[in-house]
Amino acid sequence: MPIYHTLGRVPQKRHTAMRRPDGGIYAEQLVGHEGFTGTSALLYHVHPPTTVQSVRRLRELAWEADEDQTLKHRHWRTAALPTGGSPTLDRTPMLFNADIAMLHVAPDVNDAHFYRNAQADEVVYVAKGRGVLESQFGELPYREGDYVVIHRGILHRWRLDLAVPHKLLVMESRGHVRWPKRYRNEFGQLVEGAPYSERDIRRPGELVTHDELGDFPILIKQFDALHEYVLDHHPLDVVGWDGYFYPWIFNIHDFEPIVGRVHQPPPVHQTFQGDGFVICSFCPRPYDFGEGAIPAPYNHSNVDSDEVLFYASEEFMSRKGIEFGSITHHPDGIPHGPHPGRYEGSIGQKWTNELAVMMDSFRPLKVARALRPAEDAAYHRSWIEAQHARLAAPANGAALASDRPAHAQPTTAH
């Protein structure tokens, strides 16, 4: 995160004594990535963050791959996956490789424990829900449509507003999640022409300091397992911090779509950059406006990447048979494209209200066995079945009404 931020009280110089009211010294802690050379923050604690009372290996987190690894296009409906439980303990794995994993959870209880992912950055897309992310960096309110970015090693806790349902898409990255390089100048500032600016980034606000002794469990994900550490004090005891390393939020509705006279390729929708993958946002926008332009995407083969789409609305310009919460996987090695009728039906259309999160991985993804109950087993045949249905329909030279995506005027909903 190339934005300096600070909350609370910090000393004038780093690594110098900051006195407590009783004359003692606040415990300084450096938190960051890439050793001592990446982005980092300095935190000042009431109690040392190392006073651990007990530790145990709680449970293994091995993800089992589906035995059916046939090369084919696949579709799953996340509405059929288990719901309820903890936002950190009850995540269903869906797709994964050595660089990136995608999980789903629809929690309905608040955690008593704090959580730290020590082996991955997390990008959590809030498809439904609202609440507050508590962390040592302060409170960060979240809402529907937010990408909540929690870098590796950040201790936090989800405080769900249980009055509303939650649906979270979790992406775990082995590498550091960041803004795309082409959006940044040599100083790290977002450039003019980028699809968002620093004003769109939400950072921790109120810093709440707890000075409490007791038994406070922290669950840490590391070595593909959960480990329980019990501290002798409340971990949110930070009185001040500063730096470039902290949780932050970007809302998908603040993404400014790039449009052109003819169809623009998916990289214009890129939102985040990772090691071995990218995340893109497909948002409501005007369609391509050139004479004869075809707004629906052309058939294409991603010869070095797998494409995964999470549909955050029921509309998508090129696809039939999907619903809110659907996930499609179009793997490397076979072409994919619009369903029959969508290509022709998009011509002359003015607007799309589609909303989707795309993750493209540059190494093949494995499908998790846990996705089996949610699969639309006939999806790989949906192109030919739709084509046969069209050929069997009366030939009138016009696209069938059912082939045309629904459209509406622009909205500014958040």
Side-chain angles (χ1 to χ4, degrees):
M1 270 295 297
I3 302 178
Y4 175 81
H5 193 43
T6 183
L7 286 175
R9 186 164 66 93
V10 298
Q12 181 65 31
K13 294 286 289 184
R14 295 180 297 170
H15 320 317
T16 60
M18 187 168 83
R19 298 288 179 179
R20 298 198 308 251
D22 63 3
I25 299 176
Y26 288 110
E28 186 182 47
Q29 179 192 13
L30 180 75
V31 180
H33 82 291
E34 294 183 2
F36 293 85
T37 60
T39 54
S40 65
L42 281 168
L43 297 86
Y44 296 85
H45 297 264
V46 175
H47 305 278
T50 51
T51 51
V52 177
Q53 298 191 113
S54 64
V55 59
R56 63 181 174 131
R57 192 177 178 98
L58 197 62
R59 78 181 196 204
E60 305 303 309
L61 293 175
W63 297 332
E64 297 182 21
D66 188 356
E67 290 85 352
D68 182 7
Q69 295 290 329
T70 305
L71 182 65
K72 61 181 177 180
H73 299 318
R74 303 180 76 166
H75 170 217
W76 302 274
R77 294 182 169 91
T78 59
L81 293 175
T83 60
S86 158
T88 55
L89 301 182
D90 295 300
R91 297 172 174 181
T92 301
M94 298 188 294
L95 298 130
F96 60 92
N97 63 20
D99 300 318
I100 182 72
M102 184 177 281
L103 306 96
H104 173 270
V105 63
D108 61 0
V109 297
N110 280 308
D111 289 337
H113 62 268
F114 294 88
Y115 182 74
R116 175 188 290 135
N117 193 330
Q119 68 181 50
D121 278 17
E122 293 187 358
V123 180
V124 182
Y125 177 74
V126 182
K128 288 184 180 179
R130 64 173 181 257
V132 174
L133 185 79
E134 300 175 309
S135 80
Q136 294 176 322
F137 298 88
E139 300 204 335
L140 188 55
Y142 68 86
R143 62 178 186 264
E144 189 172 303
D146 279 344
Y147 290 105
V148 184
V149 181
I150 309 168
H151 294 296
R152 177 184 310 195
I154 289 179
L155 183 143
H156 64 279
R157 182 165 62 182
W158 292 86
R159 193 168 77 223
L160 315 175
D161 181 345
L162 298 178
V164 296
H166 273 70
K167 188 179 186 69
L168 307 178
L169 178 72
V170 182
M171 288 165 278
E172 294 192 0
S173 165
R174 289 279 183 174
H176 190 59
V177 173
R178 52 205 183 272
W179 300 335
K181 186 176 181 179
R182 69 180 187 278
Y183 295 168
R184 294 175 273 137
N185 62 25
E186 62 179 309
F187 305 103
Q189 183 179 11
L190 289 167
V191 299
E192 290 290 321
Y196 50 86
S197 75
E198 287 86 355
R199 297 183 188 182
D200 299 316
I201 306 302
R202 306 202 319 266
R203 294 168 280 173
E206 183 182 6
L207 181 64
V208 180
T209 303
H210 297 263
D211 184 1
E212 304 173 33
L213 297 177
D215 298 328
F216 294 88
I218 301 171
L219 299 190
I220 302 173
K221 182 176 181 179
Q222 179 64 290
F223 310 133
D224 296 322
L226 279 178
H227 309 260
E228 182 191 63
Y229 276 57
V230 179
L231 284 184
D232 70 345
H233 64 275
H234 197 296
L236 304 189
D237 67 339
V238 173
V239 297
W241 67 272
D242 74 336
Y244 290 71
F245 189 86
Y246 48 83
W248 52 280
I249 287 176
F250 173 71
N251 191 279
I252 195 170
H253 296 289
D254 287 325
F255 188 87
E256 302 300 333
I258 297 171
V259 299
R261 288 197 304 135
V262 295
H263 186 79
Q264 300 298 297
V268 302
H269 306 288
Q270 186 179 356
T271 311
F272 303 103
Q273 178 178 336
D275 295 338
F277 72 95
V278 298
I279 297 174
C280 300
S281 302
F282 289 86
C283 300
R285 62 192 183 278
Y287 270 145
D288 318 315
F289 51 86
E291 183 178 355
I294 304 174
Y298 35 82
N299 295 293
H300 54 285
S301 295
N302 293 358
V303 297
D304 59 359
S305 64
D306 283 18
E307 177 194 278
V308 180
L309 270 164
F310 173 83
Y311 300 85
S313 68
E314 294 185 352
E315 178 182 336
F316 200 74
M317 70 158 79
S318 59
R319 198 67 61 232
K320 294 181 180 179
I322 57 98
E323 63 188 31
F324 171 79
S326 280
I327 288 181
T328 56
H329 176 212
H330 299 149
D332 174 18
I334 47 179
H336 64 276
H339 274 127
R342 292 296 199 183
Y343 202 56
E344 304 89 332
S346 70
I347 297 174
Q349 299 299 307
K350 303 298 184 184
W351 185 268
T352 177
N353 272 330
E354 69 185 14
L355 196 66
V357 174
M358 184 176 80
M359 186 275 290
D360 272 11
S361 167
F362 301 121
R363 286 202 268 187
L365 290 160
K366 291 183 179 179
V367 177
R369 179 185 290 182
L371 265 184
R372 277 183 179 177
E375 184 156 16
D376 170 10
Y379 177 69
H380 64 284
R381 288 185 50 84
S382 58
W383 283 265
I384 193 169
E385 289 171 352
Q387 179 71 356
H388 288 173
R390 284 180 56 77
L391 293 175
N396 58 9
L400 298 177
S402 61
D403 287 336
R404 292 185 179 272
H407 301 283
Q409 292 304 308
T411 63
T412 56
H414 278 252

